Amino acid sequence: FIALPKVESSSSSTTKPLSAPKWTMQVLLLLICMFLCGSAFNVPSRTEVEVAAPPTKLSDVSVPVFHDGRDPFDEADDRHTQRRRRFLQRLVSSAGVMAPAFGRRAIAADVVDAKATAIDPSVAPPRVTSKVYLDVKFAKYKEPKRLVIGLFGEAMPRAAENFASLCAGDNAGGRSYAGTRFYRALSGNSIQGGAIGSPNTGRSGLSSLEDGATFPPDNFDIKHSTQGLVSAVRNPNGEIDSRFFVQTEDDAGWADGRYAAFGIVLEEGGGMDLVRRISNVDVQTPQNSPKDPITIVACGRLDV
């Protein structure tokens, strides 16, 4: 027999409940994180997840891209949502191959691997082949301010010419950015404009093609590694129309392989000071549209 230790009982003594194991809180936090990832990205539940073989080193990890087929900027309801989404994107990106485990609503496999042809404009920017201008007017000021953009015609020929033609209005449909507004301003992230046909909502646009049809991006080679890059906003089919955004942060890696950069803001005219002024205006939720209109009153081509 095993001798059991004697336990002194007392009428006033009470039995202490067992404390929860330390790992209980860790499991709870993991479940919360999985739920947030599944709801923040709102990816369709029918998307199949392809689990790749684990990489042997960190440099082999492909960063997954998350979208649900719509313009993701439409989901930027408020600043809190933006901060949460950026945090979750960095969290999942750093997890790499662990990404399929985040949320059973599934993670869309829309990864564009551009390692072999990646162009880092912060190190060696593509050659500017043409220039355009946008004269931007704030409702509170009488005189417009000029924004000059250099276009990468060699690296992104179709996207660059589409933008230039919409600035000049010399396309078959006579469409132009003149009269459109910057419909969204995300402080510390980007400004968005060019929604020909839906200037107030930014939900669609019309290209410079004769029927305003959309077309696929030339490529995703240019990394979003410097402020001032001008990129095309994708429509639900992942194609280009007239909409564009200008990034205001140096590191916008979340856009790599997802949005096609085709130009950059030049320090002629207002330069990045003008871009930052637009991004910091007062906005109204849920779309973060400027409270006072910011309108492109004139635009066109410039000599290089």
Side-chain angles (χ1 to χ4, degrees), residues 30-303:
L30 179 60
L31 291 174
I32 294 174
C33 184
M34 292 170 60
F35 172 78
L36 288 176
C37 286
S39 60
F41 296 112
N42 194 25
V43 182
S45 58
R46 295 184 181 180
T47 304
E48 294 293 332
V49 176
E50 298 180 4
V51 181
T56 57
K57 54 185 179 179
L58 184 60
S59 60
D60 291 336
V61 174
S62 294
V63 178
V65 178
F66 308 93
H67 72 93
D68 61 0
R70 297 177 296 161
D71 172 16
F73 289 129
D74 288 342
E75 301 175 38
D77 301 337
D78 51 52
R79 313 252 168 157
H80 172 73
T81 304
Q82 296 161 27
R83 287 194 297 269
R84 184 179 69 169
R85 184 170 293 108
R86 286 199 295 269
F87 166 75
L88 292 173
Q89 285 173 334
R90 293 191 185 102
L91 177 66
V92 178
S93 296
S94 63
V97 294
M98 292 178 61
F102 283 88
R104 266 341 194 188
R105 299 178 67 181
I107 294 176
D110 184 23
V111 180
V112 177
D113 187 1
K115 291 181 181 178
T117 56
I119 300 172
D120 188 346
S122 66
V123 178
R127 189 171 77 89
V128 171
T129 59
S130 60
K131 294 180 183 179
V132 294
Y133 70 90
L134 303 174
D135 285 341
V136 181
K137 187 179 183 305
F138 293 77
K140 296 181 179 179
Y141 302 100
K142 293 183 178 180
E143 298 298 325
K145 304 294 182 182
R146 175 158 291 190
L147 190 66
V148 179
I149 297 172
L151 302 177
F152 307 139
E154 293 176 347
M156 301 290 293
R158 293 191 70 191
E161 179 55 30
N162 178 65
F163 189 81
S165 182
L166 291 172
C167 286
D170 56 7
N171 51 79
R175 284 177 286 275
S176 170
Y177 287 129
T180 64
R181 299 177 180 178
F182 284 95
Y183 57 85
R184 186 164 299 128
L186 304 176
S187 179
N189 183 280
S190 65
I191 60 173
Q192 300 161 40
I196 298 175
S198 60
N200 296 324
T201 64
R203 294 190 179 277
S204 64
L206 297 171
S207 76
S208 62
L209 300 180
E210 185 173 0
D211 55 355
T214 60
F215 59 92
D218 301 87
N219 55 67
F220 297 94
D221 293 348
I222 301 173
K223 297 177 63 177
H224 293 76
S225 59
T226 187
Q227 61 181 347
L229 281 180
V230 183
S231 302
V233 172
R234 306 191 310 180
N235 73 350
N237 296 324
E239 296 186 332
I240 294 175
D241 45 47
S242 58
R243 294 171 297 164
F244 64 91
F245 71 93
V246 183
Q247 74 181 63
T248 60
E249 55 185 337
D250 278 327
D251 182 9
W254 51 268
D256 290 344
R258 187 177 185 182
Y259 298 100
F262 58 82
I264 191 167
V265 172
L266 303 177
E267 288 307 315
E268 305 173 24
M272 283 304 297
D273 287 340
L274 176 56
V275 173
R276 280 187 285 268
R277 183 190 293 187
I278 297 173
S279 71
N280 290 326
V281 298
D282 293 334
V283 297
Q284 54 189 3
T285 57
Q287 295 299 324
N288 282 14
S289 55
K291 288 184 177 180
D292 297 319
I294 303 174
T295 308
I296 299 173
V297 294
C299 50
R301 299 180 189 260
L302 292 172
D303 295 332

